[in-house]
Structures are given as structure tokens and as C-alpha cells.
Amino acid sequence: MKAGLLCREIFGKSESEETYMKKRRNILILRALSTATVVVVMLAGLQRVLMPKYTGADREGSMIGEYYSQEKDHDVIFIGDCEVYTNFSPAVLWEEYGINSYIRGSAEQLIWQSYYLTEETFTYEKPKVLVFNVLSMMFNEPQRESYNRMTLDGMRWSASKIKCIEVSMTEEENFIEYVFPILRFHDRWSELTKEDFTKAWKKDPVTFNGYYMRVDTLPAENIPEARKLGDYRFGENAYYYLDKLTELCQEAGVELVLIKAPSLYPPWYDEWDQQIEEYAEIHGLKYYNLLDAAEEIGLDYSTDTYDAGLHLNLSGAEKLSRYFGAILAEDCGLPNRKQDRELALKWEEKLQAYREEIKRQKTLTDNSAAQ
Amino acid sequence: MLFTSYEFIAFFFLLIVLYYLIPGRYQWMLLLAAGYVFYWAANPDYLIFLLAVTVLTYTAALLIDQSLVNQKKYLKNYGGEMDRQAKKEYKALQEKKRKKIIVWFLIMVLSILASAKYINFFILNLNSILQTMGSGRQISFIDLLLPLGISFYTFQAIGYMLDVYRGNISAEKNFFRYALFVSFFPQLIQGPISRFQDLARTMWEPHPFRGKNLQNGLLRVLWGYFKKLVVADRLLIVVDLLLEQPEKYCGAYTVIIMIFYTVQLYADFTGGIDITIGIAQVLGIEVQENFRRPYFSKSLKEYWRRWHISMSSWFRDYVFYPVSASRAMQKISKGAGKLWGAKAGKRLPVYLSSFVVWLATGIWHGASWNFVVWGLLNWAVLMISEELEPLYVRFQQKFAFYGRLPYRLFQVGRTFLLICILNLFDCYEKVSVTLKMLFSVFGAENWKIFADGSLLCLGLTAADYIVLAAAVFMMISVSLIQRRGSVRTRIAGMRYPAQAAVWIGLFLMVLLFGKYGIGYDAGQFIYNRF
């Protein structure tokens, strides 16, 4: 022992001691790395399981994410809130006009979210036309966390997503909970269903090119009267992002078309309509108030809506798409691409799924009516 | 920035990295900066209070220290020429000067605390008096800022000042070093109330990185988060709901409030202290323990030796001893001795000093009458127990079951129940409501709430109750194991896979079962507001 100590003093650590220390260090590093790997894998898996799947009654949270698996050569991209994803059917636009379109809609999509979604979309593709539903101009500041989640969680990570989160967050929200959604959804452990496990990694799309299909009917009978507002002017923030959206489209060479979808509620005030008309005129944009064209479209609110006038059902959406398809083809000069064999084949598949879903939903509706 | 915020966790990890990257001699400076950033992040205006308390106590200690040094020097130089009487007179004069300094500075420091915490309580009572006297005049309340943890750091600083005055320690000359003692961020807002001689020097020393400190400290922090987020904040949901509507939730619900609040208070406060001690340990600094399994106490007296130890010992050293040794008490003792005998003469000053301590403890906890009543009730129970002590002893000698496990369990259960009842005075601001709620238990007809599913309508699901029960079981188990030594040492002695399983398991429990994020008000710890 003494000799060993003496050797150590003279020559430093012995070779065997050094080897031992090296080994020990390696073991520690290996342990740390393996534990870290286990934890990260475990957390990633847990996060997948705990995040809402949005495949039941609240499908709206799945919409934004479905875009990424699509081919990226659309002629038209619709952008906006529920008034786009329930009211327009890309299947009809293809079938009737050969227009390849996609709806990047989400529940209560705010205008800054529409802007950043457009910015992100343009990194994938440059459509000929971008159709923006102007209802979200009514909001000037962040609204609800649950709706933010439905738009933002589906977005892929990009500079657009980061900026979008920053401007969308309500006071109670925290950026880190978007980076690690497990921090937000950790308390779902007690409400997990079989679906949360089976659909954690793969789930079927809930939309048809962004269209949320509903075949059931709930007639619009008692539309609440629009309450008077103190100030009808759209907010500065809303205008700021509308300006940005206009500039973005101009720079990208994409025609921006403004629309107001023909939903009866929430109310669309004449004062609001006038402001959008003025804006469109100043900026040389097309603006279609489809609410005013309901008769021309042939909408019957006793049969064409599934929730008493808020959103159109399949029947209403198909009527509107036929009408609007003609506008896109004639006013915006979009060509019929049915001759594109590859695209036509893809659409054939999509149309088949679309028809099957109609059939499935109709059977369900008929059965529940019979009961 | 609160312990439960994401910002704090990021702040803490960034600090650890910086702390061990910079040379050891600068570490304390980083801690000082961290303390001020931490407090500033909670509210920039709080810094005024922290700085004022620091400057005042630092100055007072320096002046007193200087006076002591001067006295020593003077006596060394001229002591030989002075007779005993002259020396005594000189010392008395110097002592008087120092007393003047300490009294004035105490008044100033306590004024800061009073102005922040007690001014509206004073106005409220003044208004009541004015009303009783028939005066229509009412004084408006002042909208004042109540800095987080002001009572903790003020008491810590006062303790330092008094220790210098008593000559127990020398004053710290370096202002920044002293400022670190007052503003050490892990304990800034909820204690423990440390002593200068225990804490200060270890903070200034260089602390080389030690894996063991990191491991033990982080495990303690994780355990603290477990108690706070899984237990305390889960119970908070029920407690808050029940306290909101005393008319609706009385009778059997009062039992739920008492038990849930008592467990919540424990998990919240000890969880916070676990985080504090754990963080300090990661930084290589040892902070004294503030609890020793208080709910295992067999009497209230024992409970107060095990609960919030730093506060109890602070009141003992800086209030109880000076009051009981004061001239006034000596006079009272003599008087009582003459009137009621020597035994009473000895006891009366103790009881009266305890009365002052418990009155102060009550007021320290909050500026409202419920805390005053809570403090005095504690005093009353302790004094009655003290008086009945001979009876207990006789009883214990007579019966064989004394000291056996069932009897010990009975004692623990009885003390816990007593603490539950006393804690009810924390819950409602009005003493009358507390008493009404307490008495509602005796005439309660709603005991069926424990079986008819009413408990599931209080904001927690059945799954939540299962988690809660399991978590409380874990806390009790850990406390039981702790009696035989450190749990963390046992874990460190396990084989690596078992160790990793404990770490990962605890981490996942906090992550999944913790009540935090949107929809939960995890935020503040109960003791932050004191």
C-alpha cells in the first residue's frame, strides 16, 4: 500500500488506476446517455398518446396537419375559419371545373394565423389564387386557447409557426407548451381512450382536401338578431395583417380573392361589408359577398345547413362550390386541369373516398332518423 | 418568477451552468445577482423593500459592531487606569448607546414590514373603533404593495442585527456579501429563516462542482415539486371551492376542509422548502431543515418543535428569551411568587412570554384577527397541556398500554386532529365563520356525502382521488423511512437501474399528475404571502 502511494507520488497515477478511471467515466457517460435516450423516447411516446387526436366530434384540430401529406400544386388555396372548411367542396371544384384546390381552414382561425399559414403554404407551393374569408376581420386580438391549439398544433415547425404562436397566444398561454405539448395535455391521462393509443402515430384524414363534410340537416329557423355594436370599424391589428396578406400575395404573384361565405351567423354587418369593399377597391382585389348571392347560388337554409345557418352541409357546400367554381374559372381564369392524367388519377381516388363518406354518413343519418 | 413557473426552471438550469463555469471566487456574486433578478422578475417594485431592509440592517450592525470594537479598544488602552466602577459605568453607557441604535433601527425595519403588511389591518380596526364610538368618520384603506416573502427576509435580517448586538457574531463589512445573505434566492420568499452564522459563510465560499450535490439536490427539488404540484395543488381545487361558499359547504364538508387544508398546507410548505434546500444543495450550499415529520408528533408541543423550525426558534431566541428575561417579567415573577407561591412565580413569566410569542406568531402569519385567534389558541392549548402534564404522567404510569404502538398512533391521530381544528382558523378570514363552521360538524346531517358521490362534484374526478391517495401514501412512506435515515442516501445506494427507475418514475409522476398549466392556479405557495 505504502509502496503504491510512493509510486503514485513519483510517477502519478498507475496505469491500472487510470484505466479504471477511464472505464468508470465511460460507464457514467454511457449510463447518462442511455437514461437520457430512454427518457426522451418515453416522453415522445407519451406526448403522442396524450395529445388530442381530433378524430371524434372535434375534428377541426386535425385539419391543418393534413395538408402536409398532399401533393403541392394546387390552383387555389382557401384560407380562413370554419366558413371555408365547411362551405366549400374541393371535390366539386375538381369534378365540375377541373380546379385543384385545398382548404387550409381551422376553427376560429384568426387573421394573423391565416397570414402565417399563407406564408408557410407559399414555402411549399404558389397557387394561382388565394381565397380568404374575411369574417375573422372581426377579431383584433387573441381569443381562445383551445382554438389556437387547433390551428397551431397541426402546423409543422417553421419560422412562420413560431411567429404565429407568438402573436396568437392569450395571456394564460406559454410558448414552451407549444414546443412541448405534453406540458399542455399532461392532464389528459385520465380521459385517454383506445383511440389515443391506436391513433397516436397514424390516423386517417378527417377532411377531403381540407373540406369537413356533414350531410345532416338542421334548418335555420331562429337566427338571433344581430346586436348593435358601438364601433363597426375593424381593429388596427386586423387591418395590419390584411395588409400583410395582400403584400405577401402580391410579392408571390398570387391573386388574393376576398370572400364572405354565406353563413347566416355570426352576423355580417353592412358596415363591415362596406369596409371590405373599400379595401378591395383601394388594393385592386376581387371581393365576393356570397351571403348576398345566396338566392343566386340556390341556397335553401332549411335544407342546406347542418347547424341552423352557421355552416353549410354537403348539399349547401356543393351548391356554393358549383357557383364559386364558375367565378374562379371565369373571373380568375383558372384552367380546367382534368387532362392532367396524374392529377386526375389522384382525384379519382379522392372522389371515391369522398363518395364513400357521403354514403356512410347518409346511412348513419337515415338510421338515426329511423330510430 | 415563482418556483412553479417554466421561467424559474429555465432560470435555475441556466444559473447552474453559469455557476459552475465561472471561477469559484465569483460564484457568490452570481448568486447575489440571481437573487435580485429573481425578486425583480416577481415585481420590480419589491426591490425597494428588499434594499431598504438590507441597507438598514447592514448599517445598524456596522454601527453596533463599531461601538463594540471601540469599547474593547478603549478598555484595552485606558482600562488599566480605570477602577471597576468606572469600567462598569463606561460599559453601561456604551450599552445604552447600542441599545438606542438597535431600538431605532428595529423601529425602522419593522415600520417597513408594518407599512407593507399591517397598515390596512390597523385602519380596519381603527374604523371599527370609530364606528363603535359613533363617529361617522372612516379612514380609507391604502392600496399598498405586499412584497412576496417580506416577513421571511425581514426576520432573517433582524435576527442578524440582534446577533451582532448581542455580540454573538461580528458585523459583515462587505455590503454585497451581506446583501447576498438577505437575498439568497431559494429561500427569499418562503424561508427557512436562516441564521447568519449558519448560512452566510458557506455562500461566499467557492463551490467546486460535485456530482453528488447535483444528484441529491435535484432529487430533493423533484420531490418538492411532487408534493406541491401533485398533492397540494390537487387539494387546492377542493379547498378553494369549499371555502368559497361556507353556507353551502358546512357540516361534514368542514371535516373535508380541515383535513384537506392541513394536508395541503403540509405538502405546499414542505414542498417549497424541499425545492429551496434542493436548489441550495445543487449550488453546494447547506440550508437548515425546516421540518421534521411534523404530523408524526404526539403532542402540540412536539409539533411546534418539528413544524417551521426556523420560525419557532427565531421567536424563541429573539422574542421569548428577551421577554422572559426582561426586568418587567422578573418583577411579575417576584410578585406572583409572593402571592401564589414559588411554582406560580416561575411559571407565570413563562406563560406570559409565551403569550407574547404566540400573539406575534399569529400576527406574523397574517394581518387579520383569524391569525391572532389562531396564535392565541395554540398558546392556550400549549399552556393547558403544560398545566395538565402531572395528570398525564400519573395516567401513563397507571396504564400498561402507554408507550405501545396503538397508544402512540392514538396520540399522533389526536394531535393531527387538533392541528386540523386549529388550521381551520387559517381558512376563513372571519373568526365567527370559522366557529360556525366548526360547530356545524356536531349537528351535521350530511355525512352521506362520503358515500353518495358528492365528493366527485368538488372539482376532482375519481382518478384524481386515487392519485391523491397514492401520493399521500408515498409521502407517509417516505416520512416513515426517513426516521431511519436519509431516503436519498438509500436511493443512491441502489443499483443503477433501480435508481434510474426512481428518478424517471418521480419525474413522470410530476409531469403527468401535477396540476399545472392552463386552467390551474399552481402559481403561488401558501407561505409566499406571509
Side-chain angles (χ1 to χ4, degrees), chain B residues 86-102:
Chain B
K87 271 185 194 170
K88 207 175 167 185
E89 276 171 13
Y90 172 76
K91 275 184 186 172
L93 188 73
Q94 293 304 312
E95 173 66 27
K96 208 175 168 186
K97 273 184 191 171
R98 286 195 292 274
K99 202 170 208 170
K100 225 178 198 177
I101 295 170
I102 195 85

Side-chain angles (χ1 to χ4, degrees), chain B residues 279-351:
Chain B
I279 290 172
Q281 193 170 6
V282 169
L283 301 169
I285 295 163
E286 198 181 326
V287 170
Q288 69 169 112
E289 292 292 341
N290 211 21
F291 299 94
R292 262 187 294 118
R293 301 173 293 286
Y295 291 164
F296 286 177
S297 303
K298 293 193 276 296
S299 68
L300 193 64
K301 193 175 168 185
E302 188 187 347
Y303 168 77
W304 279 110
R305 282 201 303 263
R306 291 161 156 242
W307 173 272
H308 205 174
I309 298 165
S310 63
M311 185 201 67
S312 308
S313 62
W314 194 96
F315 275 110
R316 183 196 62 209
D317 293 350
Y318 302 115
V319 181
F320 180 81
Y321 288 155
V323 172
S324 57
S326 65
R327 271 187 207 158
M329 279 299 166
Q330 280 167 13
K331 273 184 192 171
I332 289 171
S333 175
K334 268 185 192 169
K338 275 180 194 167
L339 275 174
W340 301 301
K343 211 173 171 185
K346 268 185 190 173
R347 284 190 178 191
L348 195 62
V350 175
Y351 290 175

